[in-house]
Amino acid sequence: LSPPALCRFHGAMAGALLGDCIGGEFEGKELVRLQDVIGAVRALEEHRQEEGSLMYSDDTAMTRCVAQSLIIKQDFDEIDMAKRFAEEYKEQPDRGYGNGVIRVFKKLLNPNCNDVFKPAREQFKGKGSYGNGGAMRIAPIALAYPDVQDVKKFAKKNAEVTHASSLGYNGAILQALAVHHALQGELQKDNYLDYLIGEMQLLENDEKSLSDARDFQEFPYCSRLKKMKAFLTRRDVSKEEVVNELGNGIAAFESVPTAIYSFLRCMDPDPEIPENYNGLERTIIYSISLGGDTDTIATMAGAIAGAYYGKDNIPHSWWKSCEAYKDTDYFGEKLRDLYCSH
Ligand code: 8NA
Ligand code: MG
Ligand code: MG
């Protein structure tokens, strides 16, 4: 079996960057009008925004660390990974990090810290974080390992450096699997979802997952993936329904499924989005229009869509508006080399 084309690796890295940079303007707004998102991307198309001027946030800062660590170590190395996260935070603390995770970075910066997973385990009175910070940065893992067992194993370990709650790391595994499968080629929505449901059923049935979920609802990932399946059979699913049923929040279970839904829904045209936009552009626009944690939902949806459609579907003007856009080609190329070597 030949490895996926380079344009898919480039696409995943560029799609993730676009989602973060374009979504950033709308982060935290509960009501985002589709027209305002379309207005924002039009401004990029008409070059009303200077090259490289849309700043990336914590989402991309951490994704870059994951990519750099994998490329330099040529494998997953949790100590190097943790060090990069903490050093990156120290150098640029104002990228919009979650309130809790900052405490993890400070502990990791202590030279006496000799278990890189310990600070994460101490978060939130020992429950660990369920935030989406483990999932938002995970795409490079899916781009570095062809074997799905490796994707799951390293997605979990990577997330556990900051997110010890199974609700947090299970979201990272789901997002990594979503990118992995989008990377492989043509997909059929139902099969794709059935596969993800099967994987999450196994994960959510383990003892820790069952116990962590007890504070919220049973099987937070599987139940949303199943709802999504029903949504995809209907043409009239409103934004309100999506937000109510799948979520648009900072918790991983309220944002990873929403990103996957955005990608699958936008495989088909949307009467409210101008026809000139392709599936990848639609995915970015739609995912931001859901409001809430827009940069993070769009960066995850963008990584999946980018892996699926490839870089050729990313408009040059959007890409060039993002800070450090040139690096996505470098990361894509090096990660594909790594993928081919494993
Ligand atoms: P995190 O681990 O600090 O989690 C994010 C937040 O989720 C925490 O600050 C808490 O409010 C809440 N949380 C997580 N776990 C628990 C728990 N067990 N008990 C109670 N509350 C909990 O950081 P992260 O890396 O997961 O966060 C990623 C998000 O932060 C992304 O959206 C990213 O863009 C950034 N961010 C988001 C917003 C926003 O308003 N949506 C604003 C600034 C930054
Ligand atoms: Mg952010
Ligand atoms: Mg965010």
Side-chain angles (χ1 to χ4, degrees):
L1 202 72
S2 57
L6 180 59
C7 69
R8 290 175 176 267
F9 292 80
H10 282 163
M13 292 305 292
L17 178 67
L18 283 184
D20 183 19
C21 291
I22 301 174
E25 177 190 338
F26 301 93
E27 190 182 24
K29 292 190 182 142
E30 236 5 89
L31 285 174
V32 174
R33 292 184 345 169
L34 193 61
Q35 283 318 310
D36 292 342
V37 185
I38 293 171
V41 295
R42 287 240 164 91
L44 309 181
E45 289 152 18
E46 292 160 11
H47 304 284
R48 281 185 268 133
Q49 194 86 35
E50 238 174 278
E51 192 174 313
S53 64
L54 289 183
M55 304 290 278
Y56 64 72
S57 77
D58 58 326
D59 304 53
T60 300
M62 296 194 83
T63 303
R64 291 168 60 92
C65 291
V66 177
Q68 276 153 345
S69 178
L70 289 167
I71 291 165
I72 287 170
K73 292 286 164 183
Q74 290 289 295
D75 209 344
F76 182 80
D77 177 334
E78 62 259 27
I79 295 173
D80 182 74
M81 196 66 79
K83 193 166 170 238
R84 281 173 197 278
F85 290 156
E87 294 288 343
E88 168 65 34
Y89 167 72
K90 192 171 115 185
E91 285 197 6
Q92 303 191 327
D94 300 325
R95 289 277 185 189
Y97 287 93
N99 283 330
V101 75
I102 290 170
R103 212 163 333 122
V104 174
F105 298 143
K106 289 182 177 159
K107 289 181 183 174
L108 289 173
L109 284 167
N110 183 332
N112 296 325
C113 172
N114 50 23
D115 174 358
V116 295
F117 297 109
K118 186 161 174 261
R121 287 197 300 267
E122 292 168 349
Q123 292 291 88
F124 300 100
K125 299 189 172 123
K127 284 185 181 267
S129 172
Y130 54 64
N132 51 21
M136 73 187 183
R137 64 176 186 246
I138 213 67
I141 296 282
L143 303 181
Y145 294 96
D147 179 347
V148 73
Q149 297 307 330
D150 287 336
V151 172
K152 288 192 278 186
K153 177 170 74 182
F154 296 128
K156 182 177 182 193
K157 274 199 170 187
N158 193 336
E160 281 178 322
V161 175
T162 47
H163 292 68
S165 166
S166 62
L167 297 164
Y169 64 68
N170 281 344
I173 299 170
L174 175 57
Q175 170 65 12
L177 289 172
V179 175
H180 170 83
H181 279 278
L183 192 65
Q184 308 308 316
E186 272 307 290
L187 64 81
Q188 207 267 328
K189 290 182 203 181
D190 255 1
N191 294 345
Y192 182 77
L193 270 180
D194 286 340
Y195 168 80
L196 294 176
I197 290 169
E199 291 284 345
M200 295 315 287
Q201 246 156 7
L202 292 173
L203 292 175
E204 291 196 291
N205 260 314
D206 95 346
E207 215 173 297
K208 178 165 162 58
S209 298
L210 290 168
S211 131
D212 289 343
R214 237 163 252 142
D215 292 342
F216 300 90
Q217 69 180 115
E218 273 196 317
F219 310 113
Y221 290 100
C222 280
S223 63
R224 284 179 175 79
L225 290 167
K226 286 175 186 165
K227 264 180 208 153
M228 201 184 297
K229 225 178 147 181
F231 278 176
L232 289 168
T233 65
R234 289 171 39 206
R235 294 189 149 268
D236 61 340
V237 183
S238 71
K239 205 157 101 172
E240 291 70 28
E241 239 179 312
V242 174
V243 172
N244 286 336
E245 301 285 328
L246 305 181
N248 66 356
I250 203 167
F253 51 91
E254 289 175 340
S255 46
V256 179
T258 311
I260 295 170
Y261 173 71
S262 299
F263 161 62
L264 292 174
R265 174 185 165 121
C266 293
M267 289 176 90
D268 296 315
D270 184 318
E272 293 186 55
I273 299 177
E275 279 172 29
N276 60 296
Y277 290 118
N278 65 36
L280 187 145
E281 296 165 316
R282 259 199 310 276
T283 302
I284 302 273
I285 293 168
Y286 178 79
S287 61
I288 297 173
S289 78
L290 294 171
D293 195 358
T294 52
D295 64 334
T296 305
I297 296 172
T299 203
M300 296 190 292
I304 304 168
Y308 188 64
Y309 298 106
K311 171 131 187 254
D312 299 345
N313 280 272
I314 291 185
H316 213 63
S317 63
W318 295 20
W319 181 58
K320 280 189 113 172
S321 306
C322 300
E323 179 185 2
Y325 65 91
K326 285 182 187 143
D327 294 348
T328 61
D329 278 350
Y330 168 80
F331 289 138
E333 193 180 312
K334 293 293 176 193
L335 289 168
R336 186 172 184 272
D337 289 346
L338 200 51
Y339 186 101
C340 295
S341 78
H342 281 135

